[in-house]
Amino acid sequence: MKSTGYPVAYRAFKTAQTAPFICYQTPYRRNFSADGVAYSGADHVQIELYTKDKDQIAEGKVEQALSSFFWQKTEVYIESISLYQIIYEIEV
């Protein structure tokens, strides 16, 4: 995510940031099993891009950084902080 040029932090920044900025987190891990034994796992990672306005250039930078992954994307507007939150979800 650093290749985007935007500030990046795990979960939250310790100081206020000016949009655009990125937070990411790993809310859960999914294990795969065979014959009753867990043999592999994948971390579910959420990358959250925050922007003041709809910013396709910022989204393009994040999507370029994620080009080697399959991802899903959702978008919401958070009225309480007046920011768009674009969430990219991947498994690694």
Side-chain angles (χ1 to χ4, degrees):
M1 289 296 99
K2 291 186 180 196
S3 66
T4 63
Y6 302 128
V8 178
Y10 184 80
R11 197 169 212 60
F13 287 90
K14 294 181 181 185
T15 59
Q17 299 294 307
T18 301
F21 60 88
I22 297 169
C23 293
Y24 69 97
Q25 61 182 328
T26 306
Y28 65 89
R29 180 174 176 81
R30 186 168 54 153
N31 289 313
F32 301 99
S33 65
D35 299 323
V37 176
Y39 69 93
S40 181
D43 287 325
H44 182 87
V45 180
Q46 293 177 329
I47 297 108
E48 303 167 354
L49 170 65
Y50 293 88
T51 60
K52 182 177 171 133
D53 298 305
K54 179 70 175 162
D55 189 337
Q56 297 208 4
I57 292 172
E59 291 177 41
K61 288 181 179 183
V62 171
E63 291 168 16
Q64 180 62 36
L66 294 173
S67 64
S68 62
F69 298 94
F70 292 105
W71 46 265
Q72 292 183 326
K73 175 180 171 181
T74 56
E75 176 182 310
V76 296
Y77 183 74
I78 305 172
E79 290 187 34
S80 62
I81 58 173
S82 299
L83 291 176
Y84 285 90
Q85 178 190 50
I86 296 84
I87 304 170
Y88 295 89
E89 298 182 65
I90 63 172
E91 287 191 345
V92 294

